Structures are given as structure tokens and as C-alpha cells.
Amino acid sequence: MKPLTSSLQSSLLPIFLLFVTTSVSLKVPRLSPTGGTFLHGNDWTQGRPSEASSPGFDPKDLQTFYYNQTLDHFNFRPDSFNTFQQRYLINSKHWGGSNISAPILAYLGAEEAIDIDISITGFLPENAIHFQALQIYIEHRYYGESMPFGSMEEAYKNASTLGYFNSAQAIADYAEILIHVKKQLHAENSPVIVVGGSYGGMLASWFRLKYPHVALGALASSAPILYFDDIVPPETGYYFVASRDFREASETCYQIIKRSWTEIDNIASKPEGLASLSMKFRTCRPLTNSSELKDYLESMYAHTAQYDIPPRYPVTVVCGGIDGASSTNDTLTKIFAGVVAYEGNRSCYPIPRNGTESGVGWHWQTCSDIVVPMGISNDTMFPPYKFDLNKYIDNCKALYGVPPRPHWVTTYYGGHDIKLTLNRFASNIIFSNGLRDPYSSGGVLDDISDTVVAVHTKNGSHCLDILRSNHTTDPDWLVNQRKIEVRIINGWIAKYYADLQALK
Amino acid sequence: MKPLTSSLQSSLLPIFLLFVTTSVSLKVPRLSPTGGTFLHGNDWTQGRPSEASSPGFDPKDLQTFYYNQTLDHFNFRPDSFNTFQQRYLINSKHWGGSNISAPILAYLGAEEAIDIDISITGFLPENAIHFQALQIYIEHRYYGESMPFGSMEEAYKNASTLGYFNSAQAIADYAEILIHVKKQLHAENSPVIVVGGSYGGMLASWFRLKYPHVALGALASSAPILYFDDIVPPETGYYFVASRDFREASETCYQIIKRSWTEIDNIASKPEGLASLSMKFRTCRPLTNSSELKDYLESMYAHTAQYDIPPRYPVTVVCGGIDGASSTNDTLTKIFAGVVAYEGNRSCYPIPRNGTESGVGWHWQTCSDIVVPMGISNDTMFPPYKFDLNKYIDNCKALYGVPPRPHWVTTYYGGHDIKLTLNRFASNIIFSNGLRDPYSSGGVLDDISDTVVAVHTKNGSHCLDILRSNHTTDPDWLVNQRKIEVRIINGWIAKYYADLQALK
């Protein structure tokens, strides 16, 4: 594995890019375990409303700390005792204090530097006053400044240094830091609510399951915790939902996209076909194969579906472009009109090369414990793709020298028959989803019990409730979803205070 | 660390010896982290009713299997992928089969070879018919035949090979094997009840907490899961309960033992004092210091209290000897009469040397995650002893080159404010205890919720309910305790079957 000097994680690219990375990395084992095309640059920001930082966010209120973290919590070999400096930030501006056991809202970092999340996350700063809560934001190991072995170059060197980089170690880190902070603040009785989105949402729900003595409850936004083993059939998975989004926006748009792939291949197979495609799609450099274009388009559709955010609704924008090109019958001209509608009119469009990839941290994670078997069935608008676990494993082994453990997540955290196993166990988890988010296909969409509940919105997209700030243009259903979440958490905390009085 | 060629684990000494090891190893950090005196031989079997093997036990019904177990579940370094053969045994004689989703009773091995437990355990074979249950007995890693690195000598070489030897890895092993077995038997819907005693009881309750999707419930017998950090104050700990047992049996006996320690020291400090003590206690070799005798006696008292089993009640036997020596006023003559009453009249008594120790596996465990801070307060019949964590850590480091992690158990499994943290989380755990068992001081003695319950008996001792077979001489309270446990488990299974029908 070549040394890495830069990555998405160390830059300040907008968070959603990483989720694109996620979606793509999860689909593309046909090229490399996680490989495929990853999108660079700022081209995609147009899809979202302006939200560079949350209105509740003021960097001056945040204090940065470093915790001397154990490298390996589950082993007692001499090298397990190595430590690294793990970054966390605290905002105590609105905290009611330990005297009244005021709550702690803990944001569990995911696959990026924690600064990125802090600058965007709305849920914590916007609700801190209401809860009189301390806010703590903890960076995930191997991202940002929380780098074992002294540097990213060392940490990402090979499987021997990357081996400690997995979700079980990460949530053990969070447990240690939260226990430490509570002790430092004499806040042992303060209830902790953990919050996370996407992979971070998985971590939040898993944290409540594994460390109920540290966190009273979890808000797990857009957490596809069921996207493991064979729990989600490809027929109803990520690409099915993304296609449904397009179909709901426009049947004609959906059909045009669906037939565009063979059209691309047809042209590409002709003499000068790639040059013709390059011209038609105004690419900044000549295409070297048709996959580059297809991956680019797939990623755009996936991304717009995942972040189909009001008030713009990017899926509608793309379909508006496609359907609006009524002066032509040419499929690919229509498709390009969709690109222009979404990306804006540009002199050229930067199509990444195959295998270009920046989410190196996430890449490793999908080759260790986070193995999401994502296929594409025949009845979507995307080119079908059968997920081949053996090939996936081989690709990971070729890359890192070690295989992934595709069944470890369901072994350690469960997932199969989740209602049967958790309906009389566990409590205080909100699984929030937007049903337009393709990842909702791997989410918990039905209540498991009275206190392990699903809160979803028909028109919502990925992590809309917690990773975006309140906005004047927010539709009622979104405002309402956030209100429901706060009301449920209020209920947990009220019961906890009653218990605290009765039992301690 | 010197290579080890034999140990308690590889021999077939009776199980209770290991619990003596446990009790002593947990007390004796004043000598070495776990050191002190460990008792060898068959001298101690007199304390128990004859029970070499359970009446429900027939070796012919047991089939032995080996699972290719992952060395390190929580790491993806290349060496984490090494495997070892983990032994488990299945008795399917009474199993109702997968067609009716008949239950699985899983015995979670603890700090010894699994054969030992199987030959003694009563609960599984005796209740298999009632539950129509499959029985499975799983050996704990690093014990018996379940040895990583090919041999015990290699596995126990140093911290680099021992590092993988801890409770979190052990319960992950159990999860993998149980999932594997259910799959092999097409018994995915069969509810699993995990059962364990002492350290194995801790593992059983922790297993239900961490892997609720694998086990429906846990019977945790005599599991001192609260004996960590500062949860149990020394004033009410192990040696307090052991002393109370003696005091309840006889106030005079208690007082004689209490004053015997200074008497021993007084004599030992005189010229020829040790020779005189050696003669008085008929030791098989001359004592080299007074601690040898004191450790021997402490262990005997601790052991008799821990295994104060009906109908003989060893504490009463010892006190009968002490009180019965009415022809003398000499304290140590009385004490020796107690030894003779318990051990039988012998030509000589083998007093182990200081630091003799056979529980090498358990020794490591007390120097890694299972750090039980056991002190002795002034108001017991034992010589007081202040637990010194720093010294304990230093001793472990000197021995293994790595320190223990004394706070890891409460970080990973919890323990502080257990009722507050679990009363609205978790379900289906029975914490059974006998209040005469000194380890009950670290047990859960009050119900945590409707389904996480404490079942204890005033006169019970260590693991009496599950590790001993039914016996015609069993008192009503013991018969009743076992009945209650079965009734509770019946209830879990009935609810589960109803859920299964409704939800699947």
C-alpha cells in the first residue's frame, strides 16, 4: 500500500462528499474492493442549500482537548498499550452544570475530521439551550488529528498499523472519553445522549447497545445498521431506492436514464466513440473508457438521491434538465442536460479517472468490519451489478494483505431478526431516516419497542435531521421530525431523573 | 516468565480447587499480584459431598467438536487472523430439534478445562429433558485443549502471546461458536440460554448484555460482577462474609481464629518458634516462615466458607474441631484441632510454600482485565490487609512486562449504579447467589428489573445451584432455588416463542 499524504479527511471538503464516497465505495467492488470513482472538488456543492456553518455554531465556545487513548482496548500485548492523542471538543456555554446533573449531548465522530462535522451539525448547538446540555464532539480514531503512530503516513502504512482501526475500538474510545469527561466535571450523574449520522449513526446506536452504562440514549440518524450479511436484498437496496426517487420525480426521466447506459456503451464501442462522448459531455480531459462516464453519472444520481434536500431537491433539478431537453430525442443529449441543470453551465466537467479515490480511511473500513454487500438488481435505472463476496474479499486481500470480516458486524452488533432480538432488550434509541435516502433501505424503519423507535419522513434524505441546521425554508415535516426527536429524548431524560431520585 | 509445563488447568483436579485459587489469588497482592499460597492435592475434597460426576452425565452422549477460532476479534492486523482450535462438546440426546425451535442450554467455560466442569455441572444435564434442550459446553480460550499458538508452553510464553487472553475475546469466541452451531443445526430460531458459575457466571451475564441477539437469557451463578473498582467496600467484601459465616457458626470459634494470627507471629518470632509451629501443625516439611502457615489457614477458612456445602457444612466442621478442643486453652492447639476435623487425621499436612501457585491462566487474567481489588478490613477474623492498587500494578508489570487494566471491566461491562443503568435496559438475567458465599459480596443481590433478577438463598454457598448435581440430601431451600430458576427461564422461553410467532 502506497503511503498517503493527503486525503479527504485531512482537507476541509464539505461533509457530503464523504457520503458520496461512502455510497460509491460500497457499490464498486466490481472494480476494487471499494474502488471506483470518487468525486473531487466543489462541483457538487450546488446540490445543497448554503449552510457552510450552523447558526448555533460559534468556534469561540469550543474548547479542544486531547485524550491519551489506548491503542487496543481488547488486547494486552505490549503494543496494545501504545497510546495516541484523541481529539475532542467541548462547548459548555449552555450547560446547566453537574449540580443539577444537566445532560451531555455527545456527537460521535465518523469517517472524517471532527471539524467538518462540527461546522455543519445542527442538532447539538440548536438544542443545547433547551436541554441545558454540555456539547461534546469526539473525533473517530484514524481521522483528522486523532492519528495513532504519530502521523497519518505511519498509521495508514499497512494492515499492521491499520488493524486497530475498526468500529469496536472506536466505540470503546468513546466510552473511555465520556467516562473521563464525566469524572473530570464531577458529572457522573449527568445523562449522556449520543448522536451520530450515517456511519456515525451506526456507531451511536451500537454505542447505546454496548455501553448502556455510559449513554442513556442514542439518536442514530440515517444509520444503515441492517445493511450487512444478506439482511437487505438487492431488490430493495440502495440503488432501488435511488431509482424510486427518480421515478417519483419523473417517469420519463427515469426511463431515459435507464436506457442511457447501453447507449453510452454503444457509442463507446464505435470508432471515435469515446471522443464523441467526451465532446457530448464536455469533459475536461478525453475519456479513456466508458466506465469513467458511467461511474460519474451513477455517482451523480446516487448523490442527488441521497442528498435530495429541500428546497432545491436535486433529483427534481436533474430530471428537470433531462425532461426539459424537449428539443431533442437523443438520450445522451438529454442526460447531459441533466448534468448541466445540476452542475451549472460550465466550460468543462471534470470526470474522475477510474479508481481515483480519496476516502482512504473509509476504504480500509469497508475492507475490515464495515462490509456492506451492495448489489444492483435488474429493476432499477442503474446498470445491474451482482455483489460477489468472494471477489470483494480477494480485492481487499490484494490491497491490504488481510481479508475483511464480512460477518463480524452481525456477530458483534446483531441485525438479523432485530425486532425479535431487541423488542424485550435495550431501550432509548431513535432510528431516524428519510425515505428518499437510498441508505434508508438498510435502516430501521419500524419501531422495535416502545423506546427503540423509528422516526422517518417520507420526503427526507440522508442525515437531514441532525447534520443540517434549521433553515427558514425547512418544510413542516422536517421541522416536525426534529421536534419529535427532541420530545422523545426529553422523555428519556425525565424518566432518568425520576430513577436517579428513586434509586440513588 | 518461565515456561509452564503443567498446571491445574491441564490436570483433572476438582473444580473447587480453582475457586480456592481464585479467592486466594484475588487477595494476595501483598506478596505478588496474584501470588500467595495455592493448595495442591486432594486434601480439600473432604469438604464436599461425593459428586465426582453428575448423575445426569453420561460421557457417551457427548460429542466433541473443534471450532477454527479467530485469535483476535477486535483487530485486523495480520496476526489477528491466526486461528486456534477451540473445543466444544454437544449433547443432543434430549433436544427437541430445530423443527420446534427447541432451546439450547450453553455452558460457558471458565478458568479450567471444560471436562472438569462437564463432569460436575448439574444444571444442564438435569434440566435438558424438561427444556427438550440441546446442551453445549464451550471451553474458554487458553484452557484445556483450546490453546492458541499450538501449545500451552507457547501460548503462555509472554505478554505477546497472552495478550489475546481476556474476557472480551472469550465472549466473542462464544458468540461465534453459538452462531456457527445454530447455523449448522438449522436452529437459528432456537433460543439460547447461557449458563455459567463464578467467573463463568460473570461471562454469562456479560454475554447476555453484549450479545442479546445470540443469547435469549443468562443464568449467572455466584457471579461477582460488582467486585471491580471501588464498588464493593472492603468492609463488606469477601473476607467480611467469610468471617460472618464463621461467627454465625460459632462466636467462640470466630474469636479463637481472630486471635490466632498474633499468636502464630509471636511464636514464630521466638528462637525455635518455627520448629515449634511445624511440630504443632504436623507439617510435612519444616515451615520457613509464619506466612506459610497463615496463608494455609486463611485459605482453608476462605475455602470452607466459599464451599460451605450441605449436608456437611465445612465451616461447622472446622468450628466443631476448634470448639471441641475443650481440654486445652492453647489457641493454636484449638486451631490445629480445626484443621484435623476438616482434613482428617493425617500423619502430616502439606503446607505449600509461599508463592507456590498453579492457576497460571487465572493468574494472568487477574493481571489483565479481571482485577478484583480485595482488601480485608479490621473487623474480620482475618489479618487486615489494605489493597494497594499501585503495588498490584507494579507486581503485574514486574511479572508480565505489561500492566493490568483495573478499570476496563467497569468501562466495558459497567457495574457502577447498576440498577440505575440497567433497570430500563436489558432483560432475562438471573443473578443467583448463596449468601454464605464470600463472593456474594460482589454479586447482584437485588432485582434490577422485572426480568433482571436476583435469586439468592440465605444458606447457600458458591455455585451450589448449577455446579453441583441434585442430591438426595439437598435442603429444601436449594431444591427451591433451582426450581425458581427453571420457572423463570421457562417464562423467558414462553415469551420468546410468542414473539417468534408474532414477529417472524
Side-chain angles (χ1 to χ4, degrees):
Chain A
M1 201 184 140
K2 61 179 195 297
L4 300 150
T5 48
S6 79
S7 85
L8 261 188
Q9 288 67 50
S10 57
S11 71
L12 274 164
L13 294 176
I15 187 169
F16 72 97
L17 259 185
L18 292 147
F19 291 111
V20 174
T21 304
T22 306
S23 82
V24 176
S25 73
L26 296 173
K27 185 195 82 70
V28 197
R30 56 183 156 167
L31 298 173
S32 76
T34 61
T37 310
F38 293 83
L39 300 160
H40 277 283
N42 286 318
D43 310 340
W44 299 92
T45 50
Q46 290 191 325
R48 321 178 298 149
S50 153
E51 57 192 346
S53 70
S54 135
F57 168 71
D58 184 346
K60 288 196 306 295
D61 299 329
L62 278 167
Q63 237 192 310
T64 302
F65 298 88
Y66 295 87
Y67 180 76
N68 200 34
Q69 190 60 267
T70 304
L71 181 58
D72 192 339
H73 301 278
F74 301 97
N75 204 311
F76 292 77
R77 291 162 50 107
D79 52 14
S80 311
F81 289 85
N82 290 341
T83 58
F84 64 96
Q85 297 302 299
Q86 185 167 12
R87 178 165 57 152
Y88 63 97
L89 298 97
I90 287 181
N91 181 343
S92 54
K93 191 180 177 186
H94 304 298
W95 193 40
S98 61
N99 289 347
I100 59 162
S101 302
I104 296 171
L105 294 176
Y107 183 90
L108 304 187
E111 73 277 28
E112 61 249 332
I114 193 69
D115 330 60
I116 302 174
D117 292 20
I118 291 176
S119 69
I120 295 176
T121 306
F123 192 87
L124 273 74
E126 287 166 2
N127 291 296
I129 296 178
H130 166 80
F131 288 116
Q132 294 187 268
L134 186 89
Q135 299 166 59
I136 173 168
Y137 301 83
I138 316 179
E139 191 163 67
H140 192 294
R141 56 166 58 197
Y142 286 81
Y143 290 105
E145 296 182 10
S146 301
M147 211 50 79
F149 301 102
S151 71
M152 189 174 181
E153 198 166 341
E154 284 300 311
Y156 281 68
K157 209 172 210 169
N158 54 40
S160 293
T161 55
L162 283 165
Y164 311 84
F165 179 8
N166 58 69
S167 64
Q169 300 278 0
I171 61 174
D173 292 342
Y174 296 151
E176 280 209 15
I177 289 179
L178 288 169
I179 289 170
H180 167 78
V181 167
K182 288 179 82 170
K183 201 171 175 185
Q184 291 291 308
L185 298 172
H186 307 289
E188 278 90 348
N189 290 335
S190 288
V192 174
I193 307 296
V194 290
V195 179
S198 199
Y199 167 58
M202 289 155 62
L203 296 178
S205 64
W206 291 340
F207 190 83
R208 170 62 180 159
L209 287 176
K210 296 292 187 201
Y211 299 89
H213 49 286
V214 183
L216 175 69
L219 171 53
S221 174
S222 298
I225 60 160
L226 303 182
Y227 227 134
F228 294 95
D229 284 2
D230 55 353
I231 305 177
V232 174
E235 295 75 35
T236 57
Y238 185 98
Y239 289 91
F240 169 80
V241 174
S243 299
R244 191 180 61 196
D245 291 348
F246 276 81
R247 198 163 201 171
E248 279 174 11
S250 158
E251 176 70 28
T252 51
C253 171
Y254 168 89
Q255 296 294 350
I256 291 164
I257 294 170
K258 194 175 168 68
R259 67 170 177 259
S260 68
W261 312 108
T262 42
E263 186 79 8
I264 292 170
D265 285 335
N266 283 343
I267 298 180
S269 66
K270 289 179 188 156
E272 299 301 312
L274 282 174
S276 150
L277 285 172
S278 302
M279 199 159 3
K280 196 180 270 286
F281 282 88
R282 220 186 288 164
T283 64
C284 294
R285 55 164 187 86
L287 293 167
T288 54
N289 59 57
S290 67
S291 298
E292 287 177 348
L293 177 60
K294 290 194 287 182
D295 285 352
Y296 170 81
L297 292 170
E298 276 181 45
S299 293
M300 181 182 77
Y301 303 138
H303 173 70
T304 51
Q306 192 167 323
Y307 297 95
D308 197 30
I309 299 171
R312 195 175 178 233
Y313 293 109
V315 169
T316 312
V317 170
V318 171
C319 282
I322 289 173
D323 288 338
S326 53
S327 60
T328 176
N329 277 329
D330 179 54
T331 300
L332 297 190
T333 305
K334 285 175 184 283
I335 296 291
F336 182 61
V339 173
V340 173
Y342 178 60
E343 294 270 38
N345 201 349
R346 303 186 160 212
S347 59
C348 73
Y349 296 86
I351 313 288
R353 292 183 198 281
N354 286 136
T356 313
E357 164 276 295
S358 10
V360 280
W362 185 248
H363 200 174
W364 162 262
Q365 294 198 262
T366 62
C367 270
S368 48
D369 57 340
I370 310 296
V371 177
V372 176
M374 197 175 273
I376 307 179
S377 69
N378 289 326
D379 49 354
T380 78
M381 66 180 204
F382 295 93
Y385 162 68
K386 202 168 157 11
F387 178 80
D388 181 338
L389 183 58
N390 290 330
K391 208 182 275 178
Y392 188 98
I393 292 171
D394 288 345
N395 286 332
C396 287
K397 272 161 82 172
L399 210 56
Y400 297 110
V402 294
R405 292 186 181 140
H407 308 297
W408 174 243
V409 159
T410 54
T411 298
Y412 192 50
Y413 303 110
H416 292 281
D417 299 320
I418 193 166
K419 185 155 186 171
L420 186 62
T421 57
L422 294 186
N423 73 326
R424 296 182 193 276
F425 186 94
S427 60
N428 300 359
I429 303 175
I430 299 170
F431 290 103
S432 70
N433 278 283
L435 298 188
R436 295 181 76 79
D437 172 15
Y439 270 126
S440 68
S441 55
V444 175
L445 301 181
D446 295 307
D447 288 354
I448 287 175
S449 67
D450 286 352
T451 61
V452 180
V453 297
V455 176
H456 51 73
T457 55
K458 189 171 168 296
N459 292 312
S461 51
H462 199 62
C463 299
L464 204 49
D465 51 342
I466 67 148
L467 280 181
R468 317 274 148 179
S469 301
N470 292 334
H471 204 271
T472 48
T473 57
D474 287 342
D476 286 348
W477 52 261
L478 178 55
V479 175
N480 200 37
Q481 182 186 29
R482 290 174 179 146
K483 270 191 193 153
I484 291 170
E485 290 164 4
V486 169
R487 199 181 60 215
I488 292 169
I489 295 170
N490 273 338
W492 301 341
I493 293 175
K495 272 190 185 160
Y496 169 79
Y497 285 141
D499 288 348
L500 185 65
Q501 196 129 30
L503 298 175
K504 206 169 164 171
Chain B
M1 201 185 139
K2 62 179 192 300
L4 300 149
T5 48
S6 79
S7 85
L8 260 188
Q9 287 68 51
S10 56
S11 70
L12 273 165
L13 294 175
I15 188 171
F16 72 97
L17 258 185
L18 291 147
F19 291 111
V20 175
T21 303
T22 307
S23 81
V24 176
S25 75
L26 297 171
K27 185 196 83 69
V28 196
R30 58 184 153 165
L31 298 174
S32 77
T34 62
T37 310
F38 293 83
L39 300 160
H40 274 285
N42 286 317
D43 311 339
W44 299 92
T45 49
Q46 290 192 326
R48 323 180 296 152
S50 155
E51 59 193 347
S53 70
S54 134
F57 167 71
D58 184 345
K60 288 195 306 294
D61 299 329
L62 279 167
Q63 237 192 310
T64 303
F65 298 88
Y66 295 86
Y67 180 77
N68 201 33
Q69 190 59 268
T70 304
L71 182 59
D72 193 338
H73 301 278
F74 302 97
N75 204 311
F76 292 77
R77 292 162 50 107
D79 51 14
S80 312
F81 289 85
N82 290 341
T83 56
F84 64 97
Q85 297 302 301
Q86 185 167 13
R87 178 165 56 153
Y88 63 98
L89 298 97
I90 287 182
N91 181 342
S92 54
K93 191 180 177 185
H94 304 297
W95 193 39
S98 61
N99 289 348
I100 59 162
S101 301
I104 296 170
L105 294 176
Y107 183 89
L108 304 187
E111 73 277 28
E112 62 250 330
I114 194 69
D115 330 61
I116 302 174
D117 292 21
I118 290 178
S119 69
I120 295 175
T121 306
F123 192 87
L124 273 75
E126 287 165 3
N127 290 295
I129 296 179
H130 167 80
F131 287 116
Q132 295 186 267
L134 185 89
Q135 299 164 59
I136 174 169
Y137 301 83
I138 317 178
E139 191 164 67
H140 191 293
R141 56 166 58 198
Y142 286 82
Y143 290 105
E145 296 182 9
S146 301
M147 209 53 75
F149 301 102
S151 71
M152 189 173 182
E153 199 166 342
E154 283 301 310
Y156 280 68
K157 208 172 209 170
N158 54 41
S160 292
T161 55
L162 283 164
Y164 309 85
F165 181 6
N166 59 69
S167 64
Q169 300 278 1
I171 62 174
D173 293 341
Y174 297 151
E176 281 211 12
I177 288 180
L178 287 170
I179 289 169
H180 167 77
V181 167
K182 289 179 81 170
K183 202 172 175 184
Q184 291 292 308
L185 298 172
H186 307 289
E188 279 89 349
N189 290 336
S190 287
V192 174
I193 308 296
V194 290
V195 179
S198 198
Y199 167 57
M202 290 155 59
L203 297 178
S205 64
W206 291 341
F207 191 83
R208 170 62 180 160
L209 288 175
K210 295 292 185 202
Y211 298 89
H213 49 287
V214 184
L216 174 69
L219 170 54
S221 174
S222 300
I225 61 162
L226 303 181
Y227 226 134
F228 294 94
D229 285 3
D230 55 354
I231 305 176
V232 174
E235 295 74 34
T236 57
Y238 185 97
Y239 288 92
F240 169 79
V241 174
S243 298
R244 192 180 61 195
D245 291 347
F246 276 80
R247 198 165 201 169
E248 280 173 11
S250 158
E251 176 70 27
T252 51
C253 172
Y254 168 88
Q255 294 295 349
I256 291 164
I257 294 169
K258 193 175 168 71
R259 68 172 176 255
S260 68
W261 312 107
T262 43
E263 185 80 7
I264 291 170
D265 284 335
N266 282 343
I267 296 179
S269 68
K270 288 180 187 153
E272 298 301 313
L274 283 174
S276 151
L277 285 173
S278 302
M279 198 161 1
K280 196 182 270 286
F281 282 86
R282 221 185 287 164
T283 63
C284 294
R285 55 165 186 85
L287 294 166
T288 54
N289 59 57
S290 67
S291 300
E292 288 178 346
L293 177 60
K294 289 193 289 182
D295 285 353
Y296 171 80
L297 292 170
E298 276 180 45
S299 293
M300 182 182 76
Y301 302 138
H303 173 70
T304 51
Q306 191 166 322
Y307 296 96
D308 198 29
I309 299 171
R312 194 174 178 233
Y313 292 109
V315 168
T316 311
V317 170
V318 171
C319 281
I322 290 175
D323 288 338
S326 52
S327 60
T328 177
N329 277 328
D330 179 55
T331 300
L332 297 190
T333 304
K334 284 172 185 286
I335 295 291
F336 181 61
V339 172
V340 172
Y342 179 59
E343 294 269 38
N345 202 349
R346 304 187 159 210
S347 58
C348 72
Y349 295 86
I351 312 289
R353 291 182 199 281
N354 286 136
T356 312
E357 165 275 294
S358 8
V360 281
W362 183 248
H363 199 171
W364 162 262
Q365 295 199 259
T366 62
C367 269
S368 48
D369 57 342
I370 311 295
V371 177
V372 176
M374 197 174 275
I376 308 179
S377 69
N378 289 326
D379 49 355
T380 77
M381 67 181 203
F382 294 92
Y385 162 68
K386 204 171 158 5
F387 178 80
D388 182 337
L389 182 60
N390 290 329
K391 208 182 276 177
Y392 188 99
I393 292 171
D394 288 345
N395 285 333
C396 287
K397 274 162 82 171
L399 211 55
Y400 296 111
V402 294
R405 291 185 180 141
H407 307 297
W408 173 244
V409 159
T410 55
T411 298
Y412 191 51
Y413 302 110
H416 292 281
D417 299 320
I418 193 166
K419 184 155 186 169
L420 186 62
T421 56
L422 294 186
N423 72 326
R424 296 182 193 277
F425 185 93
S427 60
N428 300 0
I429 304 174
I430 299 169
F431 290 102
S432 69
N433 278 283
L435 298 188
R436 294 181 75 79
D437 171 16
Y439 270 125
S440 68
S441 55
V444 175
L445 302 181
D446 295 308
D447 287 355
I448 286 174
S449 67
D450 286 352
T451 62
V452 179
V453 296
V455 176
H456 52 73
T457 55
K458 190 170 167 297
N459 292 311
S461 50
H462 199 61
C463 299
L464 204 49
D465 52 341
I466 66 147
L467 279 181
R468 315 276 148 178
S469 302
N470 291 335
H471 204 272
T472 49
T473 58
D474 287 344
D476 286 349
W477 52 260
L478 178 56
V479 174
N480 200 39
Q481 182 185 29
R482 290 176 179 144
K483 271 191 193 153
I484 291 170
E485 290 163 5
V486 170
R487 198 181 62 216
I488 292 169
I489 295 170
N490 273 338
W492 299 343
I493 293 175
K495 272 190 185 161
Y496 169 79
Y497 284 141
D499 288 349
L500 185 66
Q501 196 130 32
L503 299 174
K504 206 169 166 172

